[in-house]
Amino acid sequence: MECISVFDMLKIGVGPSSSHTLGPWRAAERWIKELKTANKFDKVETISVDLYGSLSLTGKGHATDYAVMLGLSGANPETIPTADIDKTVAAIKNTKTLLFNGEKSLVFNTETDIVFNRKFLPFHSNGMTFTAIINGRKSKSTFYSIGGGFVVKEERTNHKRNFEIKCTFPYPIDKGTELLQFCKNLNLPISQVVLENEKSIRSEEDIDSELQRIWDTMLECMYIGCHTEGNLPGGLNVRRRAYDIHQNLKGERPYNNPVEWIYSIRDTEVKFRQIIKWVSCFALAVNEVNAALGRVVTAPTNGSAGVIPAVLMYYLVIENHDGNFEDIKRFLLVAGEIGSIFKKGATISAAMGGCQAEIGVSSAMAAGALTELLGGTPEQVLVAAEIAMEHHLGLTCDPIGGLVQIPCIERNAMGAIKAINAAELALDTNPENVKVPLDKVVNTMWETAKDMHSKYKETSEGGLAVGVYLTDC
Ligand code: SF4
């Protein structure tokens, strides 16, 4: 059984894409590690990278070339100052030299050493092969970025299993029914069952400090997005909207940092229409930061990184003004577990399943997590997750210009609002009357993913990506 930690589902990184940016970045790191383990690193004479399928078709808009260069340079996506990214990439391009893992200077021509191949590799749409010349001979390694920053080397025979991961959790969970059984047997809410699993691999102190770091990153991301105006990079000239919306919503109480900002919003009288605007504003803010290659939390992907912070922020500033770290912790634990059920039973990769795998899954994660905080039973938590996904089934991925901007940024606002609605519906639902359990919708999503035409799976060859011309924007 695959064992996925909440910290696999929620990862700190930089935008704009988890599968096309974080994944290739991590793959480059893994390749370097492989070379070092095999004592080949010091003997490398030249390197090159081949990108395949979706990584090639939307790789330029999704900054895959940037990610590969940064990964090969040894930069850490969690800690690299985002302001340094453009400078580092420009230096590689201009000097035609790359400092391999920060240690070894190699000739590297971005025009010829990063190859965008239109062809797809058989296992997954996001394939990449790293090649090193060592003693005049080629040494190749192929990786797949399977969504949410996850990277695998070996093919999963049924497209669902990553056999590299061994599960050591005391309460291993593949499906919603298993999760509910553990909750019943242990008489614990979902967050506590997930916490027990996490405690089997790290101390609770470490869990708390990592979850706090994740929340701090989410909050800072919303804060930056709400306070940054102008147009996004990439050529579509998309105007940042979170800034304007925030200017119209914010109250009188002054603030100087993200935490004071929370108190200032709590002080503001918020009417019904404004609730929708606030939630949308939080979601837009995150994905504008993501589109500008800023720091975000992959949740479960970068393209859908705005949904979970927006819904959690909604809980803290609208639903419960006494909300604290314990609530944040429970929310993230539940969200992570629901995301892992989708990853195991279906996919969180838009290149495999379209946008239902990104925004649909993030909305389900947020809906379930909010339901637990609002007092729902474990059964109602899964009902909320099911409702949220049910109404994202079939959602395609068709980003204009291959950029994670249109429809991606707005789609996060929609996913967040649907999550809140799904939670409210679930709280008024008797789970015994539910016709579509979570596991059924997970399976349906996977079947829909397999039926979906490849032009709607992060290739920018269908939908809005061809219906709207760049000159229209
Ligand atoms: S359309 Fe959806 S899945 Fe595709 S890149 Fe945008 S957010 Fe991701």
Side-chain angles (χ1 to χ4, degrees):
M1 180 181 281
E2 192 173 350
C3 187
I4 300 176
S5 160
V6 65
F7 301 108
D8 295 321
M9 298 306 301
L10 307 172
K11 298 185 279 278
I12 298 170
V14 296
S17 167
S18 44
S19 56
H20 289 53
T21 315
L22 187 59
W25 195 320
R26 291 294 187 207
E29 289 175 345
R30 274 180 63 174
W31 182 53
I32 289 170
K33 210 168 159 194
E34 256 182 23
L35 291 170
K36 290 209 165 215
T37 307
N39 289 322
K40 290 180 176 172
F41 180 84
D42 293 335
K43 300 176 194 141
V44 171
E45 293 151 24
T46 62
I47 53 173
S48 60
V49 189
D50 281 271
L51 303 172
Y52 295 98
S54 174
L55 282 189
S56 167
L57 292 167
T58 57
K60 287 214 167 103
H62 283 47
T64 307
D65 45 353
Y66 277 43
V68 162
M69 284 184 253
L70 292 164
L72 293 173
S73 303
N76 183 341
E78 286 196 29
T79 54
I80 183 175
T82 51
D84 289 357
I85 289 177
D86 280 337
K87 270 187 286 175
T88 308
V89 169
I92 295 169
K93 283 185 177 170
N94 296 338
T95 61
K96 294 191 170 37
T97 305
L98 186 147
L99 198 56
F100 196 26
N101 200 36
E103 300 173 41
K104 186 177 165 76
S105 187
L106 296 176
V107 172
F108 192 85
N109 183 343
T110 51
E111 299 293 320
T112 52
D113 291 325
I114 301 179
V115 183
F116 291 82
N117 301 276
R118 288 183 71 84
K119 105 173 184 204
F120 284 70
L121 296 184
F123 167 61
H124 192 284
S125 323
N126 292 332
M128 76 210 96
T129 300
F130 295 93
T131 304
I133 302 294
I134 298 170
N135 296 331
R137 301 181 65 171
K138 282 183 182 172
S139 167
K140 287 176 181 269
S141 232
T142 296
F143 295 86
Y144 299 93
S145 175
I146 60 169
F150 286 83
V151 172
V152 294
K153 219 179 153 201
E154 299 304 322
E155 296 188 6
R156 298 177 302 169
T157 50
N158 62 358
H159 285 223
K160 290 187 184 177
R161 295 284 177 269
N162 172 5
F163 292 109
E164 291 177 352
I165 301 169
K166 299 262 184 302
C167 190
T168 53
F169 284 163
Y171 309 113
I173 296 153
D174 258 0
K175 295 176 186 290
T177 44
E178 293 162 355
L179 175 57
L180 289 183
Q181 197 58 52
F182 284 127
C183 290
K184 195 172 164 198
N185 294 350
L186 301 164
N187 195 23
L188 290 175
I190 290 175
S191 56
Q192 283 300 314
V193 173
V194 182
L195 181 61
E196 291 306 315
N197 277 343
E198 292 295 336
K199 278 160 62 180
S200 71
I201 47 177
R202 47 175 73 79
S203 71
E204 191 158 356
E205 201 182 5
D206 285 351
I207 293 167
D208 286 358
S209 81
E210 268 309 285
L211 289 175
Q212 183 69 57
R213 203 163 73 89
I214 284 170
W215 169 242
D216 288 346
T217 307
M218 288 178 170
L219 179 59
E220 191 171 330
C221 186
M222 287 185 277
Y223 187 79
I224 291 170
C226 284
H227 295 85
T228 308
E229 57 181 329
N231 286 2
L232 292 170
L236 290 182
N237 294 323
V238 172
R239 183 171 167 76
R240 290 172 178 263
R241 280 180 295 168
Y243 178 87
D244 296 328
I245 298 171
H246 182 252
Q247 286 299 309
N248 291 333
L249 288 171
K250 74 187 177 82
E252 299 300 317
R253 179 168 163 169
Y255 54 85
N256 294 300
N257 58 53
V259 174
E260 289 177 11
W261 184 47
I262 289 181
Y263 289 106
S264 117
I265 300 170
R266 283 176 175 171
D267 262 7
T268 312
E269 195 199 343
V270 180
K271 303 197 175 71
F272 174 71
R273 275 188 64 210
Q274 289 168 323
I275 294 175
I276 294 175
K277 287 192 183 196
W278 268 115
V279 173
S280 300
C281 181
F282 297 141
L284 296 177
V286 170
N287 284 82
E288 287 171 0
V289 170
N290 180 60
L293 277 64
R295 176 148 288 116
V296 300
V297 176
T298 300
T301 66
N302 279 28
S304 60
V307 175
I308 286 173
V311 175
L312 181 45
M313 192 68 164
Y314 159 81
Y315 178 79
L316 295 173
V317 299
I318 307 286
E319 283 285 353
N320 180 7
H321 287 193
D322 295 323
N324 54 28
F325 175 70
E326 276 309 306
D327 297 309
I328 294 167
K329 178 176 174 180
R330 287 169 64 207
F331 187 100
L332 296 177
L333 289 169
V334 175
E337 187 60 42
I338 292 170
S340 79
I341 289 172
F342 277 100
K343 185 180 182 307
K344 290 172 196 168
T347 179
I348 56 167
S349 163
M352 293 293 275
C355 199
Q356 57 174 355
E358 291 205 12
I359 297 291
V361 173
S362 64
S363 188
M365 292 164 74
L370 180 63
T371 304
E372 178 168 313
L373 291 197
L374 294 177
T377 62
E379 289 81 2
Q380 286 173 320
V381 168
L382 297 202
V383 170
E386 186 285 319
I387 293 172
M389 173 52 77
E390 187 177 317
H391 303 290
H392 282 97
L393 285 174
L395 190 65
T396 59
C397 170
D398 51 358
I400 295 179
L403 295 159
V404 193
Q405 297 183 11
I406 307 172
C408 319
I409 297 171
E410 260 178 19
R411 209 162 262 184
N412 280 265
M414 300 302 160
I417 298 294
K418 273 195 205 177
I420 295 168
N421 199 357
E424 291 299 338
L425 286 173
L427 289 166
D428 283 338
T429 298
N430 178 349
E432 286 175 13
N433 298 332
V434 165
K435 306 284 184 213
V436 187
L438 178 66
D439 294 333
K440 270 272 183 271
V441 90
V442 171
N443 191 48
T444 304
M445 184 201 139
W446 179 236
E447 292 302 321
T448 309
K450 287 191 283 184
D451 288 341
M452 198 180 276
H453 195 289
S454 67
K455 67 185 182 182
Y456 299 119
K457 295 186 196 176
E458 212 167 10
T459 55
S460 287
E461 291 186 328
L464 286 174
V466 296
V468 179
Y469 299 101
L470 297 191
T471 46
D472 296 336
C473 298

